[in-house]
Amino acid sequence: MAEAAEVALLLALLDSAYDKKAWHGPNLKGSVRGLSPSQASWRPASGRKCIAEIVAHAAYWKYAVRRRLTGAKRGSFAIQGSNWFPLPAPWDRAAWVGYVKLLDAEHRALRGVVAGLAPGDLGRRSPGSKYVASTMIQGIAAHDLYHAGQIQLLKRLMPKT
């Protein structure tokens, strides 16, 4: 019973960090809602990340945690590469919408895996990981919140159009 409560708590953490109303302000999904492709690709300085790259990065790490929880092999992420991804060319509304949809799909897939964890899985380390499942799940929720804050800051730094 305690493990079911812990899974429920982890799901609540994932949800409030990603797309459910939370006391702390915008979550990750809320931080990108309504952005235009030009806003998503704006950089505060040369060599700095833009919001679209942060969105792809966040989607990738949801995938990476899900893969580690399930023991799946690497290489099935929707974008070639890992961690940070350059913007596709041409960059347009379709590309931006695709990034946001990818983030949402990876969140739903990760949430499904967490919801289906069996008793004892939360304390289990995945092969090749230094961390147990519960730590990775808490970490990905914190990762979402970190990047939501980063995106909120980037939005404030953007020139007014």
Side-chain angles (χ1 to χ4, degrees):
M1 184 64 167
E3 283 195 5
E6 190 174 357
V7 169
L9 178 59
L10 290 170
L11 288 169
L13 285 171
L14 285 173
D15 290 343
S16 68
Y18 182 68
D19 65 352
K20 299 293 187 241
K21 186 171 176 66
W23 69 269
H24 53 71
N27 51 43
L28 186 56
K29 189 171 182 177
S31 71
V32 300
R33 187 175 294 118
L35 290 178
S36 70
S38 63
Q39 289 171 313
S41 64
W42 178 81
R43 296 177 192 283
S46 178
R48 298 295 180 190
K49 302 297 183 203
C50 67
I51 291 171
E53 290 166 333
I54 294 168
V55 166
H57 166 81
Y60 173 78
W61 280 101
K62 286 177 179 290
Y63 152 81
V65 169
R66 177 174 52 87
R67 183 181 51 75
R68 289 174 185 172
L69 291 172
T70 61
K73 293 192 185 297
R74 298 175 103 179
S76 60
F77 188 60
I79 304 172
Q80 187 80 16
S82 65
N83 202 15
W84 291 104
F85 305 88
L87 295 181
W91 180 251
D92 56 17
R93 178 160 293 285
W96 173 231
V97 168
Y99 272 34
V100 174
K101 284 183 177 181
L102 175 63
L103 178 63
D104 201 51
E106 288 298 342
H107 178 77
R108 284 192 317 272
L110 172 61
R111 194 184 190 290
V113 166
V114 172
L117 289 173
D121 286 346
L122 294 176
R124 177 181 55 82
R125 265 190 340 176
S126 299
S129 177
K130 296 184 277 185
Y131 304 103
V132 298
S134 63
T135 300
M136 287 191 294
I137 297 163
Q138 292 171 51
I140 198 64
H143 189 253
D144 278 0
L145 291 175
Y146 170 81
H147 287 302
Q150 186 180 31
I151 290 167
Q152 290 299 105
L153 178 60
L154 285 170
K155 287 165 43 177
R156 287 188 176 244
L157 292 173
M158 281 180 199
K160 303 293 183 221
T161 54

